[in-house]
Amino acid sequence: AVVSTQSTGPINSADDPVQGGREDYATTSTSPQDFGLLVNVDNPRSSCQVFGDPHVITFDGMIYNLPGTSCDYVMGLDVAGGSWFIYGRMRPCGNIAEGVCLEAVTIYAHGDAIELQRGWIVNHQGKKVETAELLAPITVGEFGVEFKGSTLIVSLLLGQEISYGRRLQDWLRIYWDGLTTVTIEAPQTAQTQGLCGDNNQDPMNDFDVWGTFNNDVLVLAESMKVDRDWECADGQHPLTME
């Protein structure tokens, strides 16, 4: 028996495979013989990382320097369903260092938004949570929030499918080091656009913009700017990976 569902509320420990959630699913099965324990299975995810001043490793493994300026950039979004998108705020790395670095990361999903600030601070609707002080995972709006070691982890259940005794789950997960590095994990089946590429297991077309062929990193960077007031400066081609 196969039953497909979509998440419409915050996650909890029973939904999260990290927590080892299991439950009796006899009442949701479409077949009377399907009685037993339902085991959570995390569907495969692709990983993208943005770090330094700044460098990007896309979902498909392309590595490049971002010719960024002080601006906000779309790092990844769900092209097919529009169910989530993530943008990063880039600002100068310091008074001496050249380039720009991530200052904050904002995640929009399921009609809600959460901002990850430096110092592992979560901003949700103006209320700030110092996650480094958390002793256990919490729910903030639509998002699961957890602090592990020196990393802030945000989780969102995008959807799930029940099949043959297993709950197959699609998760969006964001790992923030509290300073300048973010790792985004999205389902391998998600069609994406942004600095993280298109997530189609082919790094050769990660610079394409909205389905149009492109091999110029500067064109990608300029296309992914979120510049509502036309205040962002133009980027320039990077020279090295330093």
Side-chain angles (χ1 to χ4, degrees):
V2 177
V3 180
S4 296
T5 63
Q6 294 293 323
S7 171
T8 57
I11 65 170
N12 55 52
S13 60
D15 289 326
D16 191 346
V18 176
Q19 304 293 332
R22 297 162 66 94
E23 69 178 42
D24 188 299
Y25 70 101
T27 57
T28 62
S29 172
T30 59
S31 179
Q33 68 267 24
D34 286 341
F35 289 86
L37 292 175
L38 187 62
V39 181
N40 290 341
V41 176
D42 216 354
N43 283 330
R45 293 189 299 274
S46 303
S47 178
C48 169
Q49 189 172 73
V50 180
F51 61 99
D53 59 351
H55 313 304
V56 181
I57 304 175
T58 69
F59 288 129
D60 297 330
M62 169 75 79
I63 303 174
Y64 68 93
N65 285 351
L66 175 70
T69 63
S70 289
C71 198
D72 296 343
Y73 290 84
V74 175
M75 293 193 291
L77 59 80
D78 170 27
V79 172
S83 63
W84 58 270
F85 76 87
I86 302 170
Y87 75 76
R89 180 189 306 144
M90 301 286 183
R91 295 296 183 267
C93 297
N95 295 329
I96 300 176
E98 296 182 359
V100 292
C101 296
L102 268 177
E103 182 179 80
V105 176
T106 302
I107 310 149
Y108 291 89
H110 295 174
D112 201 0
I114 192 171
E115 182 186 46
L116 315 184
Q117 301 177 344
R118 288 182 175 170
W120 307 289
I121 293 174
V122 164
N123 180 16
H124 181 256
Q125 298 181 357
K127 181 179 180 180
K128 297 186 177 182
V129 179
E130 296 185 5
T131 63
E133 300 178 357
L134 294 178
L135 300 179
I138 62 172
T139 298
V140 178
E142 293 288 320
F143 307 92
V145 174
E146 183 177 8
F147 186 79
K148 272 190 176 181
S150 59
T151 304
L152 167 60
I153 306 171
V154 175
S155 301
L156 182 76
L157 181 62
L158 300 174
Q160 57 187 346
E161 179 181 82
I162 298 172
S163 177
Y164 301 105
R166 301 181 302 167
R167 184 196 288 116
L168 308 177
Q169 298 181 320
D170 284 328
W171 288 89
L172 179 68
R173 283 204 169 93
I174 297 90
Y175 302 81
W176 172 239
D177 77 338
L179 189 59
T180 62
T181 299
V182 66
T183 300
I184 301 169
E185 292 183 350
Q188 286 186 0
T189 55
Q191 300 176 28
T192 65
Q193 175 67 75
L195 300 182
C196 287
D198 59 10
N199 192 31
N200 72 342
Q201 291 72 60
D202 179 8
M204 300 308 295
N205 59 9
D206 277 349
F207 290 167
D208 288 1
V209 176
W210 308 118
T212 301
F213 173 77
N214 170 57
N215 59 7
D216 188 333
V217 65
L218 184 58
V219 171
L220 174 70
E222 294 298 292
S223 300
M224 293 303 114
K225 283 182 175 178
V226 183
D227 188 7
R228 301 180 181 88
D229 299 318
W230 302 94
E231 296 178 347
C232 298
D234 293 334
Q236 297 182 355
H237 282 285
L239 298 178
T240 68
M241 189 63 179
E242 298 176 356

